[in-house]
Amino acid sequence: MSKEFVARLVVTFVVTSMLAVSTTPVVTAQIDQPDIIQEHWYHSYATLTLDVNAWADDYPEIVNLLVVGQTELGRNLWMLQISDWSQETKTDGGAKEVVYIDGGHHGNEHLGTELAFLVAEYYIEGWVNGEQEVIDVLATTELHILIMLNADGNDQDTRWNINQVDLNRNYDHYWNTCDSTQPGSSAFSESETLANSIYMNEVVPHADLYITMHTGVWIMLYPWGKWPEQPSDWEMFHFIRDDVHSNISDIPIQNANQGLYPNCGTSRDYGYGVMGYPTFTFETDDEQFLLGTVEALSERLGEELDVMRYLIQNVWYWRARLVVDSLVVEDGKAHLSVSNLGHASTSNATLAYLDEDGELWFPCGGEEWLNLSIPGCGFGVNATNSTVTTLEFIDAPISSEGQFYLMYQKRVIDSSMWVNESVNQSVVEMKVGGSDLLPAPSMMLVFVAFALALINGRNSKFEH
Ligand SMILES: [Zn+2]
């Protein structure tokens, strides 16, 4: 008899006994699965299907339920989109923050799948109970949660999908370049990983947090799995590590290659290396292959849930956030003072100027966007720091009728998204012949939409 099989028998016995002695009447009005089962039996595809549909039926004001693909055996990939859908944007008109979470790549790692479920449950039930933290998060943030990616493997309690492929080696990032087993016949050969990547690229390319849930050893892993070196955005990952350790949990937080072992083609490395997301693999525990738990799930995973709440509540900080403190323009030179309020650095920032005829100008190169690492053409700003620089606009017809934009990448990693943000007119000072000119705001509005379209056209990874 294998060790796993004995352990499974023990849990089956204990949970069955607990159900037998329970005298509390089970309430089934709201959610099809009573709490005693929710808390002790891990989800099958069938019970997950009941639960997510019940949420969507009961709380349509915050829960959208989508089918975003099928497993190789044709089971639905359920995607929960959770936010306060009565508000399309934040109160300031800005786009909501986006968080992406998936679970269940490995069908025998049930606690990881349950943590993805618990996160959804925490925000849905918190909303129902009127908890202020949850109300605030859902007003400003969209949570996209795919709880069980490998439903076929989950129901067979196996790591692999039905084609005996390790889904977390099947992503198109240095696919099959490590000593990994069963990566599939090609990157994205499996319907589950292909569907996941399509959702990332088409629906949440602008997410500022991606967490993928597993179990194996109690640890949080950030990129890379492929290389032992720290990732480009090490400052952000180290800040999160230190903040979690100071205030929430002692869970080890390491680069995956060092903390675990070299691995390639993972959703984590793809999420960071291709999508540019701040990404963590959350390994909840060392337990695998069990189908239930004696200790209640919400208690067993309470600390992990606290870490998730912290990451979600602070998602605004997981990128560079540039704010122009002052911009003085004189003789074609833009003297810029800029602060970065975010916890990620940016190394590819510049100003763009939209003239009154709707033409865009860049420092150094007139209408061309030149190498931003050349001084005078672009600049960088470290996380939670500020920079003073001078950018030279050659031949640009700068006047008080135009508009300046800040253009930069959200993080240092090459794949991270570009943003463009208009510079607040109140901090801009134009000096012509020694005298100040005031801008004419009414003229600006005409050009803003046009400018955004122009800038967006430059790079498909611009945020909309
Ligand atoms: Zn795993």
Side-chain angles (χ1 to χ4, degrees):
M1 220 185 263
S2 75
K3 228 166 124 189
E4 286 86 7
F5 185 64
V6 173
R8 231 187 285 177
L9 279 182
V10 170
V11 169
T12 305
F13 173 74
V14 173
V15 176
T16 310
S17 314
M18 282 166 38
L19 286 171
V21 300
S22 167
T23 53
T24 316
V26 169
V27 181
T28 52
Q30 287 293 308
I31 290 184
D32 293 12
Q33 275 209 76
D35 267 1
I36 186 81
I37 292 182
Q38 291 256 358
E39 283 283 16
H40 297 281
W41 280 116
Y42 301 149
H43 280 88
S44 64
Y45 172 71
T47 58
L48 178 76
T49 298
L50 288 176
D51 285 343
V52 293
N53 278 280
W55 277 338
D57 290 345
D58 292 343
Y59 312 114
E61 71 275 21
I62 53 164
V63 179
N64 288 338
L65 180 64
L66 280 72
V67 175
V68 297
Q70 265 89 35
T71 65
E72 289 283 323
L73 285 182
R75 292 180 167 100
N76 286 335
L77 298 176
W78 297 112
M79 180 72 68
L80 290 163
Q81 298 177 335
I82 306 169
S83 188
D84 175 359
W85 299 115
S86 71
Q87 307 180 44
E88 256 180 57
T89 63
K90 295 191 206 175
T91 46
D92 67 1
K96 289 180 179 175
E97 312 305 323
V98 176
V99 172
Y100 188 47
I101 296 167
D102 64 36
H105 273 78
H106 294 141
N108 60 324
E109 298 178 2
H110 302 281
L111 271 181
T113 309
E114 293 302 329
L115 181 57
F117 181 89
L118 267 187
V119 172
E121 184 181 57
Y122 176 82
Y123 286 96
I124 293 169
E125 292 189 350
W127 171 269
V128 174
N129 297 331
E131 285 163 22
Q132 197 58 47
E133 172 204 323
V134 170
I135 290 170
D136 292 345
V137 165
L138 296 189
T140 57
T141 311
E142 296 177 8
L143 306 176
H144 299 246
I145 309 180
L146 198 173
I147 293 171
M148 190 185 287
L149 186 72
N150 183 7
D152 301 342
N154 184 86
D155 284 11
Q156 295 191 4
D157 198 15
T158 171
R159 178 179 180 89
W160 325 104
N161 81 340
I162 200 67
N163 298 330
Q164 302 303 305
V165 172
D166 185 337
L167 295 182
N168 204 28
R169 301 293 182 273
N170 190 235
Y171 284 78
D172 193 8
H173 183 270
Y174 291 84
W175 174 81
N176 201 19
T177 57
C178 299
D179 282 342
S180 59
T181 56
Q182 296 163 241
S185 56
S186 63
F188 295 137
S189 58
E190 308 307 296
S191 63
E192 297 90 352
T193 50
L194 181 63
N196 204 19
S197 72
I198 290 172
Y199 193 83
M200 290 183 196
N201 282 279
E202 293 187 356
V203 185
V204 291
H206 47 312
D208 285 323
L209 180 65
Y210 168 45
I211 311 285
T212 182
M213 309 289 196
H214 289 254
T215 64
V217 56
W218 193 56
I219 195 169
M220 290 175 69
L221 302 167
Y222 58 81
W224 302 102
K226 168 73 180 166
W227 302 288
E229 288 79 22
Q230 293 293 315
S232 316
D233 291 287
W234 60 270
E235 268 180 298
M236 176 186 59
F237 289 110
H238 289 190
F239 173 85
I240 290 172
R241 176 194 66 195
D242 295 347
D243 217 21
V244 167
H245 286 168
S246 302
N247 301 306
I248 304 167
S249 171
D250 293 330
I251 187 168
I253 302 177
Q254 270 186 281
N255 150 307
N257 183 294
Q258 302 281 283
L260 203 58
Y261 44 74
N263 46 68
C264 297
T266 62
S267 77
R268 176 197 53 250
D269 279 10
Y270 180 84
Y272 183 62
V274 176
M275 300 305 301
Y277 301 145
T279 303
F280 290 95
T281 307
F282 206 136
E283 303 266 0
T284 52
D285 198 286
D286 59 2
E287 174 191 295
Q288 298 189 343
F289 297 106
L290 298 187
L291 298 179
T293 171
V294 176
E295 192 186 346
L297 271 171
S298 56
E299 283 159 33
R300 187 156 175 198
L301 294 174
E303 193 169 321
E304 290 79 356
L305 182 61
D306 287 346
V307 174
M308 287 303 300
R309 287 167 53 204
Y310 160 81
L311 290 171
I312 290 168
Q313 241 180 322
N314 293 289
V315 60
W316 192 88
Y317 293 100
W318 309 147
R319 49 164 280 196
R321 292 274 181 187
L322 298 192
V323 173
V324 174
D325 301 317
S326 70
L327 173 57
V328 178
V329 184
E330 187 170 21
D331 299 333
K333 288 193 168 70
H335 305 284
L336 179 70
S337 172
V338 59
S339 296
N340 182 358
L341 305 183
H343 285 295
S345 299
T346 182
S347 58
N348 271 336
T350 193
L351 277 176
Y353 176 72
L354 184 73
D355 72 23
E356 56 188 305
D357 297 323
E359 207 161 326
L360 262 184
W361 300 83
F362 296 95
C364 295
E367 294 168 49
E368 290 303 311
W369 179 350
L370 293 187
N371 189 344
L372 301 184
S373 63
I374 299 171
C377 305
F379 59 95
V381 197
N382 287 341
T384 63
N385 216 317
S386 53
T387 290
V388 175
T389 189
T390 295
L391 301 170
E392 298 176 36
F393 281 85
I394 301 162
D395 298 333
I398 295 179
S399 76
S400 54
E401 308 285 318
Q403 168 73 50
F404 282 99
Y405 290 87
L406 263 181
M407 304 171 67
Y408 59 98
Q409 280 184 286
K410 285 178 165 185
R411 285 167 283 274
V412 176
I413 181 78
D414 289 345
S415 55
S416 68
M417 185 169 271
W418 286 86
V419 291
N420 61 84
E421 294 162 354
S422 58
V423 175
N424 187 340
Q425 289 292 330
S426 65
V427 299
V428 181
E429 189 184 347
M430 303 276 185
K431 289 188 172 173
V432 177
S435 66
D436 290 1
L437 291 177
L438 288 173
S442 59
M443 291 292 292
M444 305 303 168
L445 296 173
V446 180
F447 297 120
V448 170
F450 185 53
L452 293 178
L454 268 180
I455 295 170
N456 283 335
R458 290 199 154 248
N459 187 324
S460 61
K461 290 209 85 177
F462 264 117
E463 182 160 61
H464 304 286

